[in-house]
Every structure is written in C-alpha cells, then in structure tokens.
Amino acid sequence: MKLTLDWLKDFVDVPVTDPAHLVDVFESLGLEVEDWGRIEPTFSGVVVGKVLSVEPHPNADKVRLCTVDIGAGEPSQIVCGAWNFDAGAIVPVALPGAVLQGDFEIGRRTIRGVESNGMICSEEELGLGDDAAGIMVLDEDYPWATDHIGAEFSRLLPFPDAYYDLAITPNRPDCMSVYGVARELAAYYDVDLVEPRTDVTEVGPPSTASITITDPDACPRFVAREVRGLVARRSPHWMRRRLQLAGVRPISNIVDASNYAMLEVGHPTHAFDMDRLGDRIVVRHAAEGETITTLDGNQRTLEPSDIVVADATRPVAIAGIMGGADTEVHDGTSRVLIEAAYWNPPSILLTSKRLGLRSEASARFERGMDPNFCDRAADRVAHLLQELADGAVAPPLIDEYPKPIAERTVLFDVADVRRLLGIELNVAEVADLLRRLGFTVAGDGPLEVTVPTRRPDVTRPADLVEEVARLHGFDNIPDRVRTGTGGGLPTRERTLRKIRDVVVGAGYHEIATFSIIAESDLDALGLPDGNPVRDAVAVSNPLSEEERLLRTTLIPGLLRALAVNQSRQLKAIRLFEIGTVFMPGSGKLPEQPLRLGFVAGGQPAITWEGQGRTADVFDATGLWELLAAELGVPQPAVRAHRSPVFHPGRCAEVLAMGSPIGTVGEVHPAIAARFGLAGRVVAGEIDLDELLLERPPWRFVPPSTYPPVIIDLAFALDGDVPAAALTETVRRAGGPFLEELTVFDVFAGGNLGEGRKSIAVRLVFRAPDRTLTDDDVVPLRTAIVEAVERSLGGTLRGAP
Amino acid sequence: MEALQRLDQLESEAPDRIAAASDLENLARIEAETVGKRSPLLEIRRGLGSLPDEERREVGRRVNEVAQLLGSLIAQRRSILETAAMDEALRAEEVDVTLPGRRPPRGTRHLIDAIQQEVVDIFVSMGYTVATGPEAETEFYNFTALNIPYTHPSRLESDTFYLDYGEVPEGTLLRTHTSPMQARYMELHRPPVYIVVPGRVFRRDSDSTHTPSFHQIEGLAVDTDITFADLKGTLAHFARLFFGPDTKTKFIPHYFPFTEPSAEMHAYADGRWLELLGCGMVDPAVFGHVGYDPDQVTGFAFGMGIERLAMVRHGITDIRALYDPDLRILRQFR
C-alpha cells in the first residue's frame, strides 16, 4: 500500500523532520517498507502570479499576451499558448532564471516580436501531474494561493514530501489505509490522532431508498447515503496528486471521492448512479445462474453462495467485490447512493476466489473491515462530494444493522508478558501501551481489555502480548542464547551423511531434481502398463499439464541430468541424488521411501596417459559393494536381474539381509537413446530406509600375526553358474581359517569346451593362534573342490 | 721364494686393475682373477702345505695381508660402481613432475545439502536434535494443526500443490513448509522439545527467485520457560555462527498464523539487510492441537530457506542454478 507523508500529516502530527526516520518506525511497528522515496519539487524559481489582463498577440493567433502580477515590482508581460484561463486567474509563473524538470532553464525571450518574461506553467511542465493541455489554475486547485501572490509556488505544495510503499500483513486490515497507519504512528509517538472529517449538511427531502438484508450473517450491516445535485468535474490537484502517488488513476470528482475515502479511511464504499437504480435495495444471495456485467466489462455467472446487492429487478453489484456496469457512475451522474457495508469475510473470499475476481475492495473485506465504521465511511464520501462536487447530502443516513457486532473483552494477566517475552513490565506500563493502541483497559488484577472491532486479529491474551511487544519495541527485548536438551544427531542423519561421503568419494556429484515428473518420463523408461513404477500419485493442480506425477523413481531425473551434461560436451559424468519417491500406500498418505539414485556416463576423460575407462555394470555393483561395506550392511549380495530399463545381460538386483533393495546396471541402449544419451550409461537406484536403521557398533578383530597359507584354485564351470555361487560355495567349505578370497581370473572358450568358463580364486588361509600346516589346509582344499563339484558341477582345472 | 715374489707382484699390480674396473661385471672378473677362484692367491694358499714351516708362516702372513688389502679395495670399488649404476638407473626413470597428477576421483555434495548440514550442526551444537517428516502431507498437518484458517490464501490452489489421493475432506498435498513436523513431533513427544527439521517443500511458483520446490529448515523449542528473549538470542547467535561473529540482526514484527507474537529476522550480510527467517512464539492454538497446555509450556518456532542462505553466502542470483545439473556448477560446490 502506497501513501505519502503529506497525507499522513492530515491525521497525525509526526514529530520528525527526516522522512528516512519513519522507515525504521514503520518497520518496528511491523509495517514492512517495501519501497520509499523523498518527493522534492523538480522546479525552482516558480512563483504564484495573478493574471491582470489577457490580450491577443499582435502577430500570432495561437498565443496570447498576458500581464501578470508577480508580487514585487512591475507586472510582467508573458506570452502564453494556453487558453484555459482568463484575467483574474491565479497561476504558477516560471520567471526568467527558473529551472523546470531539473535542467530546463527559462529565459527572457522574444516571441513573434513581443518580449515574454517567463512562462505560465502546466502541471506537466512542473512535474506535478500529466495534464499538459492547459496551465495550472491555482484558484481552482489551491484556493488559498490567492493570498500568496509572489510567493515561491513550491511553498504552497507539501514539499518536501515522501512516499512509502508498505506491505501490510494479512492480519492487519485496519492498517490498509492512511488513517490506520496514522493511528499506529500516533500510538508509537503517543500523540493524538485526528479524526477524518465526516460532517455533512443534510438538505432536501428524505431519501426514498430502502434496504432489505435477507441474510444478516453474510451482511450484518449495510449503510447508505444519498447525495444529490452532483456536478462532475476534475478533482482538485491536491486530491489527484495523492491518488496518483497512491497508484490510483484520478477519473472525476464523484468516482475519485469513493477511491480517495477508501485509501484514506480504509473502508471500501461504492457509489451507485441513483437514476439507474431502483429505490428498493435488497441484499441477498444470487439466484442460480443469475448474471451481472461488472465494472470491468465482464459478464459473471453467479451461484447461490454469492451475495449480491440488487434492486427490484436485477443484481447491481457483487457484494464487497465489484459493482455492476449498469449502475456505474458516469459524467452525467447527478445523484448517487453511497454504500458502506460490512460483509462476512469468508463469504467474500469464497466468491472472489470462485470468480477469479479480486479488487481493492475484496482484498479489504476478505480480511475484515470494521463493522462499526460503516456510517463514518459513507459520510466521509458524502462530505467529499459535498465539498468537491457541489453535492447536497440527503437525509437520513440509512443504516440497516440487523446483526450488531460488539467489541470483545479479553481478560489479560500481565504475567503473560514476562512469561512470553522475558521482560518485566508493570500493570500500568502494559495498560498504557494498550491504551495508546486504542484498546480500552479496565481492572488491575487481570486487565479487562476491550478490543475495538477494527482489530479482528486480537482475540486472546497472546495477541495482546504481541501488541505490547510491538509497541514496546522488539529491540527493547534482551537477547538470551538458549541451549536445549535435544539428543544430538540421530543415527538416520549420521548414516545419510556417511552415504553421501561414500558416494562423493567414489566420484559422484550430487544433484537435486524436481519431485514432479511427466507421464512421458515413465513412457521413456519403457515400463509396460501394470508395472508398479507406473502407479504414480498425480498432482491435481500441476503447473503444467505435462508434469503432473509425483516421481516413483529417481532414474528419469538423473538420466535427463546426464543428458544435459552430455549435450554440453562434459566428460566422465557421475551424478547422484538422494531423494524421496512416492507411491500409493494404504494409509492417509502415499508411501514415501528415501532413495539413492546414481548415473554414470559420457565419454571417459582424456589424460596425458590416454583415455580413461568407460563406466560399466561393475562400477554400479562396485558402488553398492563399497556402500555395503562402509555401512556394515549384513549379508550384502548381488544377483542377475531383468528390468525393461536395463541392458538384459547387465543388470543386477542388490540385496541386504536377503531382501532386494535396489536395481543397478547398464541402461538399455534403446532407453538411453530416448533420453538423448549415447554410449554406455550406468544407473542404479537403491532404497535407503533399511540402511538407515540403528545397527550395533562393529566389533574389533585383532589381526593374526601368523603366516598365511595361500593357494590358487581354478574351476571349470558351466557358463551360467554365477561367480557369486562359486565364491559362496568356496567360502562355506573353506571354514573359519579362510581369511580372504579373491577372484583373480575369469575366461571362457579356449579348450574349456562350448558354453564353459573358468574362474580362478586365490585363497588366503590363516589361523589366529598358530601357523597352519599342510595337515590343516589339505583337507580344506579337498573339501572346497568336492563342494564345488557337488553343488555347481565344477571341476578343478590343471588337477592331475 | 717364488711365492713371495708373486704376492709382491700381485700387491703392486692388482690395485690399479681394481681401480680401473669399469663396471660391476668387470670388477667381478678382476675379483675372480685376483682373490677369487682363479687367482694366484688361491693357488699359493693351496701350496702352503708343501712349504717348510718358516717359509709357510711368512708366505701365509703375506697371503692374508694381500687378500685383505685387495678385498677391501674391491669392496670399495664395488660400492662406487653400485652407486653409479643406481644413479644411472634412476636417471633413466626421470619424469616431468609438472605433468598433471593422477587425482583420485571425487564428487561433490550439493550446496543445498552442505548448507543444510551446516545449519543443522549449529543447532545440534546448541542442544537440538533432528526430525524429518513426509513431503506429501495432509491438509490437517500442513494447515489446520498450524492454526491456518480455511480462508487463508496459502490454502488456495494457486499456491499449493494438491494431490489426487486419499479422501476429501482429509485432503493431501505437497507440504508448503517444514512446519507440519511441529505438530507431528509434539504429538509423539512430551516437552521439552528442541528440534530442527530440514527438508524439501513445495509452492506453486516458478521464476528466477522461486522454484516449485525448495528447501527449508524449521526449528522448534518448547519448554516450561521459553521467551521471546530466548528466540532473539538463539537466532541472533545462529546468524553470527553462520555469517560471522560481527553479524548484526534485527527483529521486526510480522504475521504467521502459527506464532504469536511473530517476527522476521533480518541480518546484515553481503553488504545489505536481508530478510533471513520467519519466527515467533508458538501460538496457543498450535499447542491446543497437540495436547500441550499453553499455560504450562511456551515455545518458539522458526523457519528459513536453505537456497536463500546458499545464494547470499555464495553470490548466486538465480535460484535455478541450484537445480541445474551442469558439472561446471556442481564442481564449484566444495
């Protein structure tokens, strides 16, 4: 909300000279200053003059010759091109030497053979408005200028002024006006608040308008005032200036009066052209399908939950939101009915939201105006129309108030101030702060605080504590560092940090991708209908029609990220993300497991030693093995797997404690191509929740100091026997002395025979307490060879 | 006395030969010919037995003398030649050490995570613990339990992502802040409560300063005697730990439905006042929803945007840079 210091001064005598100081004051009161600036005149050397005579120019038709009294000395002769004035007008005169718009200097000039000693100025030339058609005639805009012939014109204007753009929080509808903000300043400085002028002189026969309210809950109060004999004209400059600085375009005095009053006192009013409106006003619910064309020219279809102001035949306004075009005030309007009502806030919000129609009025009514200010709001407008539009205010003030809203009383124990703020204020100090804000305070045990109806936000002691804190000043509350009794970093967080460390240490860069993906992402993964990954929860109001599913997998986001890097010619790309995925569950909320996803791809990096290695499936399984080892995952395992996303022969399922918790491998080249990826792409996705559980600490094993016995065994096996089966069998048969098992050679073909392969393992045997002998190891070797033969059909190669 | 003459001759001739040995192989041959298997020394030693006693003693003494002398000269020469040989071998292995080293591969944590961890650690050091909650949340926990009225604009479909899930009226949505965890945590724990809640949140918004999802850290302290002074002191302390010991802060009144009084903390960082976080004393209505007695306990809550902290600290002007996976960006997150 924009307002000027000049306007504030109508209501509060601000005891500061530097407008910058007010910025801090506003802030301390909770009125955030989004922008502010000083307003200085953009001209100098301009004085108030009185036109003594106006003659035709001897040599020109379009300009006239004026004699102007500029206070001192002889009247000046000035040539002027404007025609909107006559002899006797009070005007601003730029004398020779005056500077306009910062750098335009006025000199003595000869115009068509006649000397001109300066310039009579328009608003536009003085930077005071956008009227360039004629010169400013001050006796219309500033009647008191008559008494200041020869004075510096800028002295008549509110210079130096300042504007402030305040962000009003939604709990403070009472501050959505100059008067409301002035009240806060008056409280802050503990000075008097000047009340807005609402005095009217009632003339003529009583108004014949009548008001009927069908739903007092929706409209507890409706005040109306008729004003007759209006003459539409331009509003005076001081009013137009304030409107413009507040961001409102001046239109004409009748329309401006209503806008001006709303900016000034906050309460929105609406003026109907009474010649286009029946006498009998009904405030009612709209009929199903009823229509109205609003001021903005749009036809709106209404529903019974909407409240309208209607006459006998049709709705003439959507209550509290926007008036109808039919009864709009226009240039020929001479008689208006001013409406100032109190509308139930939720009902305004509902209709405004449903129609997508917001206005300055609805923004105020939906937050809650003061029901007990309606009468003054109506008469503030009536007063302005009387002063500025020759309005004759008709008796009486029509006031339908079927559901009076009384002030609330809150019992307030002053001990709450200490309990919540940590400061000591006595009863008198607290009472004084509240009184300054306009609360009525009685009693001295618990205070009985009466809250004005303009403050819907204050209903409880905590709300009063806030008021006390605000006015006392947050800066005057001490700082105390408080330490807690919380339990430190939980296992889950510590383990997550470790996972990040491991994956980062393996060369992967962490990324953050969005949680909402497109159906086409799941299509691109080649997932058939019925695949559980396709069963995604949808967002009902997505930002784009395309991206509307909560991700069920991290893979598409990672593949896209990989593609971005590949398209930017980056090499050796390794990325990971730790994030939540979503899938339908049985409870109130979707299942939301936490996952680790990773991808690797792109051309390998080039170094002076040559080109690096392209990542493949073993980088994926290796990362899992590393993670499992670092986290101490019990029984980590890997087994061959099939998934439409992955290469049919290079995909693995990873298991912890016998349960599958993820899939890793090389992405199917056809799927990779759909993401614009070339070359081998490694990817994996692992559920983390199981891995984050609390585990007992690992136990120390002292290393044996005895020498090992090392034997190498190569087995010929059928090609489809997994290496994991061999190592598992060997390990089981090898017994407790088998300290280390390393696969050190794998090959197929040669003289092994069709479909056979060879896997060689190096076994390190060692006892904790003695040196092993052949007597120990030979039986183990025999047992291992027999076990491999028996359970895997493998034969020891090179055996005699 | 032929033997003694031969020894004299050996003693005078052999040292020059040893000194002239050009390499270890050559030296080995000279060793063999002077003191080794094929040397006059060995021959004379073998013939000692056939010499008369007196002469045998004399020749024996000379044999040992010469053997010792030549042995030590050979050892000396060998040592020199060995050193030279190793020097030469090492010289052959010389490389340009200014060629790029073989750097072990290492990735980077995302800046969002790094900042989040830093903030968490500051509060953990002050006696807080960490709690996390669901990203898909019920309307109840996201709004109602936090005293956000049904008419509040943040509930509008224009601001909040709602889900096609669950049953009306218990709507589900993507949480708009980390605050729902306040209610969830208090429902499950009795006071005192000192927690921070990091996590991803969602708003229906997208431009250079807003992404549809971003990250927040929520904080909640509830105890029998928490005041606004504790809130101010604790959060000002946080700002000093995060931005530096001289960081100035100011608290200005604000409005949140779930705190009363409410404030915004601004910090003077990066050469200007920045709105850093929202905070306030826990609203009695929030305590009411979780069964805490607002006459027995008081508390404060705060929430701050992680991306904003990251952007201020590192001079990032477009939030979307934090969601760009370009390696040239990620590598800067160190």
Side-chain angles (χ1 to χ4, degrees):
Chain A
M1 189 188 61
K2 282 182 172 169
L3 42 71
T4 57
L5 179 56
D6 156 56
W7 203 345
L8 281 167
K9 283 178 171 170
D10 281 2
F11 301 102
V12 62
D13 186 9
V14 182
V16 293
T17 46
D18 184 0
H21 181 68
L22 273 192
V23 174
D24 293 335
V25 174
F26 284 137
E27 215 168 67
S28 83
L29 288 165
L31 303 167
E32 190 189 335
V33 179
E34 292 196 314
D35 184 26
W36 80 280
R38 297 169 199 276
I39 307 173
E40 310 275 6
T42 58
F43 56 86
S44 66
V46 178
V47 301
V48 177
K50 180 172 185 176
V51 180
L52 300 176
S53 67
V54 183
E55 309 287 341
H57 189 290
N59 309 320
D61 294 341
K62 293 194 172 162
V63 294
R64 297 186 295 177
L65 210 53
C66 308
T67 317
V68 184
D69 175 2
I70 51 166
E74 286 294 299
S76 287
Q77 175 173 278
I78 297 172
V79 175
C80 181
W83 291 72
N84 63 325
F85 66 100
D86 289 308
I90 310 294
V91 296
V93 181
L95 299 175
V99 176
L100 303 190
Q101 293 168 357
D103 59 359
F104 175 52
E105 190 169 336
I106 301 300
R108 212 174 299 267
R109 292 203 296 150
T110 303
I111 297 171
R112 292 267 182 131
V114 176
E115 187 172 81
S116 181
N117 298 299
M119 186 168 109
I120 305 177
C121 304
S122 70
E123 280 176 19
E124 200 257 344
E125 284 156 348
L126 293 174
L128 294 173
D130 42 22
D131 184 358
I135 52 114
M136 277 187 93
V137 181
L138 300 180
D139 32 4
E140 285 173 13
D141 288 331
Y142 294 96
W144 57 91
T146 316
D147 304 329
H148 295 87
I149 306 300
E152 271 283 331
F153 176 49
S154 64
R155 304 274 289 274
L156 264 64
L157 296 166
F159 289 122
D161 195 5
Y163 71 90
Y164 304 93
D165 191 356
L166 304 179
I168 308 297
T169 53
N171 60 324
R172 294 302 303 275
D174 63 302
C175 285
M176 297 175 82
S177 65
V178 176
Y179 174 53
V181 171
R183 181 185 290 106
E184 292 284 304
L185 291 179
Y188 180 88
Y189 290 111
D190 198 9
V191 297
D192 289 337
L193 180 69
V194 176
E195 295 301 320
R197 286 194 60 184
T198 56
D199 50 297
V200 294
T201 308
E202 293 181 341
V203 291
S207 175
T208 53
S210 73
I211 311 292
T212 308
I213 297 170
T214 62
D215 180 356
D217 287 320
C219 179
R221 188 180 190 187
F222 192 104
V223 169
R225 173 71 93 170
E226 185 178 337
V227 183
R228 304 168 180 140
L230 294 166
V231 179
R233 64 170 84 92
R234 196 167 72 160
S235 297
H237 179 260
W238 59 264
M239 180 183 256
R240 284 184 285 121
R241 175 181 177 274
R242 285 178 173 183
L243 288 172
Q244 268 169 338
L245 287 168
V248 174
R249 197 166 54 89
I251 295 166
S252 75
N253 52 356
I254 305 174
V255 177
D256 292 350
S258 189
N259 287 335
Y260 184 88
M262 179 182 71
L263 295 171
E264 185 181 70
V265 298
H267 203 113
T269 59
H270 183 69
F272 296 97
D273 184 334
M274 261 203 101
D275 292 323
R276 298 178 175 187
L277 177 75
D279 278 351
R280 294 176 51 185
I281 311 295
V282 185
V283 178
R284 59 167 171 84
H285 288 268
E288 179 74 49
E290 203 169 12
T291 60
I292 179 172
T293 302
T294 40
L295 284 177
D296 56 7
N298 293 321
Q299 181 172 325
R300 315 274 175 179
T301 304
L302 304 173
E303 288 184 5
S305 59
D306 302 325
I307 310 295
V308 294
V309 178
D311 64 8
T313 57
R314 79 253 197 247
V316 292
I318 303 175
I321 301 175
M322 196 172 278
D326 278 359
T327 51
E328 186 179 1
V329 168
H330 57 104
D331 282 348
T333 297
S334 69
R335 195 161 66 104
V336 295
L337 188 73
I338 302 157
E339 163 208 317
Y342 175 74
W343 307 103
N344 180 37
S347 135
I348 299 298
L349 183 71
L350 201 76
T351 296
S352 145
K353 179 180 154 184
R354 193 180 62 71
L355 294 174
L357 177 60
R358 290 176 61 78
S359 63
E360 284 290 327
S362 74
R364 285 169 167 78
F365 284 125
E366 73 185 24
R367 289 174 169 84
M369 286 289 103
D370 183 354
N372 295 317
F373 195 80
C374 296
D375 46 348
R376 295 174 68 196
D379 272 352
R380 178 62 185 148
V381 180
H383 173 90
L384 289 169
L385 291 177
Q386 177 182 285
E387 299 299 312
L388 306 173
D390 305 342
V393 179
L397 184 74
I398 304 160
D399 189 354
E400 275 306 306
Y401 199 175
K403 198 175 177 191
I405 295 170
E407 291 183 329
R408 213 179 290 112
T409 299
V410 178
L411 281 185
F412 184 34
D413 182 350
V414 173
D416 279 351
V417 170
R418 188 183 58 241
R419 212 167 70 85
L420 285 168
L421 301 182
I423 51 171
E424 298 287 344
L425 293 179
N426 62 36
V427 174
E429 288 168 322
V430 171
D432 183 55
L433 289 170
L434 293 175
R435 181 194 53 72
R436 278 160 58 185
L437 285 162
F439 298 87
T440 312
V441 183
D444 54 6
L447 297 176
E448 287 163 38
V449 181
T450 304
V451 182
T453 44
R454 63 171 177 270
R455 295 296 305 270
D457 59 314
V458 178
T459 59
R460 308 159 306 171
D463 305 324
L464 291 169
V465 169
E466 175 167 68
E467 293 303 294
V468 169
R470 226 161 44 84
L471 202 57
H472 179 67
F474 282 7
D475 287 347
N476 295 319
I477 298 173
D479 285 7
R480 198 168 72 174
V481 179
R482 175 78 177 211
T483 53
T485 54
L489 209 55
T491 302
R492 185 185 163 87
E493 295 305 311
R494 271 186 287 122
T495 311
L496 264 177
R497 289 185 181 188
K498 184 155 189 178
I499 291 171
R500 277 199 171 82
D501 285 348
V502 169
V503 180
V504 165
Y508 290 80
H509 296 270
E510 188 176 18
I511 60 170
T513 69
F514 290 117
S515 307
I516 301 174
I517 62 170
E519 185 93 47
S520 59
D521 287 325
L522 298 176
D523 294 341
L525 288 182
L527 300 168
D529 285 344
N531 185 300
V533 180
R534 289 214 84 114
D535 192 7
V537 175
V539 173
S540 61
N541 56 337
L543 273 174
S544 77
E545 249 337 286
E546 172 65 353
E547 302 198 322
R548 48 180 288 276
L549 300 181
L550 297 191
R551 61 184 178 188
T552 51
T553 164
L554 303 177
I555 298 292
L558 285 160
L559 290 178
R560 270 209 301 257
L562 190 61
V564 164
N565 280 289
Q566 217 178 51
S567 72
R568 295 177 188 171
Q569 312 296 319
L570 295 156
K571 298 189 191 312
I573 309 148
R574 294 183 165 209
L575 306 172
F576 78 102
E577 177 170 21
I578 291 177
T580 307
V581 298
F582 306 80
M583 44 208 61
S586 50
K588 279 181 181 167
L589 289 173
E591 300 292 328
Q592 302 176 51
L594 190 67
R595 293 235 177 116
L596 163 68
F598 60 90
V599 289
Q603 287 183 21
I606 294 176
T607 74
W608 53 270
E609 294 179 292
Q611 197 159 51
R613 192 174 54 74
T614 304
D616 64 23
V617 61
F618 296 110
D619 290 278
T621 53
L623 183 63
W624 158 246
E625 286 169 18
L626 178 67
L627 255 183
E630 287 293 314
L631 299 178
V633 173
Q635 299 164 266
V638 169
R639 68 181 177 210
H641 188 62
R642 285 291 178 101
S643 149
V645 179
F646 288 90
H647 186 307
R650 295 181 167 215
C651 172
E653 191 167 55
V654 302
L655 302 94
M657 291 160 285
S659 307
I661 60 163
T663 307
V664 305
E666 289 174 25
V667 175
H668 196 296
I671 305 292
R674 289 186 198 158
F675 285 86
L677 288 161
R680 273 189 208 283
V681 174
V682 166
E685 190 171 26
I686 297 172
D687 271 312
L688 292 183
D689 290 316
E690 282 293 313
L691 306 182
L692 300 176
L693 299 177
E694 179 94 53
R695 252 183 266 286
W698 57 269
R699 308 293 297 180
F700 178 67
V701 178
S704 169
T705 55
Y706 294 89
V709 175
I710 298 172
I711 58 174
D712 291 350
L713 299 173
F715 291 99
L717 298 151
D718 275 342
D720 59 2
V721 175
L726 175 70
T727 54
E728 177 66 24
T729 304
V730 169
R731 216 182 286 277
R732 209 174 298 145
F737 294 153
L738 178 56
E739 185 181 84
E740 201 181 310
L741 181 162
T742 310
V743 175
F744 71 90
D745 189 36
V746 178
F747 74 93
N751 56 5
L752 290 169
E754 182 68 20
R756 302 273 287 173
K757 67 180 173 187
S758 165
I759 300 178
V761 293
R762 171 160 299 172
L763 307 177
V764 177
F765 292 95
R766 201 180 330 230
D769 54 352
R770 64 192 168 88
T771 300
L772 291 177
T773 65
D774 280 357
D775 287 349
D776 295 306
V777 177
V778 168
L780 289 174
R781 184 181 188 279
T782 309
I784 289 169
V785 171
E786 278 175 12
V788 172
E789 256 176 33
R790 196 173 51 247
S791 49
L792 303 175
T795 54
L796 187 66
R797 291 182 55 238
Chain B
M1 298 309 286
E2 187 204 355
L4 288 174
Q5 279 170 10
R6 285 179 67 191
L7 285 169
D8 289 347
Q9 191 185 348
L10 190 64
E11 189 182 28
S12 68
E13 287 173 2
D16 287 345
R17 285 189 66 198
I18 291 166
S22 59
D23 56 35
L24 287 166
E25 203 179 321
N26 188 219
L27 183 67
R29 200 168 52 245
I30 293 167
E31 183 178 28
E33 288 166 10
T34 51
V35 298
K37 286 177 190 156
R38 284 174 290 136
S39 68
L41 273 181
L42 197 66
E43 199 181 316
I44 293 167
R45 200 171 257 150
R46 279 198 196 112
L48 280 179
S50 59
L51 292 178
D53 282 358
E54 195 172 327
E55 193 180 343
R56 185 173 65 222
R57 262 195 304 279
E58 175 66 14
V59 172
R61 188 182 57 81
R62 282 290 289 152
V63 165
N64 285 341
E65 235 175 53
V66 173
Q68 204 175 351
L69 170 72
L70 296 186
S72 107
L73 288 175
I74 286 166
Q76 261 176 40
R77 184 64 193 158
R78 175 171 288 122
S79 162
I80 288 166
L81 288 175
E82 276 175 356
T83 305
M86 177 170 285
D87 285 350
E88 194 181 315
L90 293 184
R91 236 188 331 274
E93 282 184 10
E94 182 182 331
V95 294
D96 176 0
V97 297
T98 66
L99 280 169
R102 238 170 258 130
R103 223 187 275 188
R106 183 157 183 94
T108 45
R109 263 189 325 161
H110 199 276
L111 181 61
I112 292 170
D113 181 65
I115 298 280
Q116 186 166 288
Q117 183 170 321
E118 191 176 335
V119 176
V120 162
D121 286 348
I122 288 173
F123 283 98
V124 165
S125 78
M126 288 198 269
Y128 288 64
T129 189
V130 181
T132 50
E135 293 175 13
E137 185 53 281
T138 63
E139 222 178 322
F140 175 80
Y141 283 110
N142 197 75
F143 292 127
T144 312
L146 291 164
N147 197 36
I148 297 171
Y150 285 99
T151 51
H152 196 275
S154 66
R155 292 204 189 220
L156 294 177
E157 298 221 329
S158 57
D159 293 25
T160 298
F161 288 112
Y162 285 89
L163 303 180
D164 282 335
Y165 190 81
E167 309 205 341
V168 183
E170 175 71 306
T172 51
L173 43 75
L174 290 175
R175 65 177 174 191
T176 59
H177 46 187
T178 39
S179 314
M181 215 28 213
Q182 286 189 24
R184 285 187 175 274
Y185 194 88
M186 286 192 282
E187 277 180 352
L188 295 176
H189 299 82
R190 301 313 302 164
V193 169
Y194 292 89
I195 55 167
V196 282
V197 184
R200 183 177 278 211
V201 301
F202 304 82
R203 306 259 170 102
R204 243 178 129 265
D205 218 348
S206 193
D207 59 39
S208 70
T209 51
H210 300 89
T211 43
S213 77
F214 56 99
H215 296 76
Q216 275 190 341
I217 285 196
E218 181 85 5
L220 176 69
V222 180
D223 213 328
T224 52
D225 59 345
I226 302 252
T227 69
F228 198 82
D230 297 314
L231 174 157
K232 280 186 67 192
T234 303
L235 295 177
H237 186 61
F238 159 74
R240 289 189 296 270
L241 290 178
F242 189 84
F243 285 113
D246 300 323
T247 306
K248 285 187 297 228
T249 50
K250 65 180 178 186
F251 290 78
I252 66 171
H254 202 71
Y255 167 69
F256 304 107
F258 37 98
T259 49
E260 186 84 348
S262 304
E264 260 180 358
M265 183 175 84
H266 294 221
Y268 196 80
D270 205 19
R272 62 209 157 112
W273 282 104
L274 295 162
E275 184 186 311
L276 214 59
L277 56 83
C279 55
M281 300 299 291
V282 178
D283 194 284
V286 174
F287 284 144
H289 275 294
V290 299
Y292 280 20
D293 180 354
D295 291 329
Q296 299 301 314
V297 293
T298 54
F300 66 74
F302 58 89
M304 66 185 105
I306 295 299
E307 280 84 351
R308 183 165 175 76
L309 292 177
M311 290 167 79
V312 170
R313 163 87 70 84
H314 298 286
I316 299 166
T317 50
D318 189 335
I319 191 172
R320 288 169 295 205
L322 292 171
Y323 290 90
D324 186 337
D326 192 311
L327 278 177
R328 292 164 301 173
I329 293 175
L330 303 177
R331 286 191 189 117
Q332 297 183 50
F333 296 165
R334 50 192 185 261

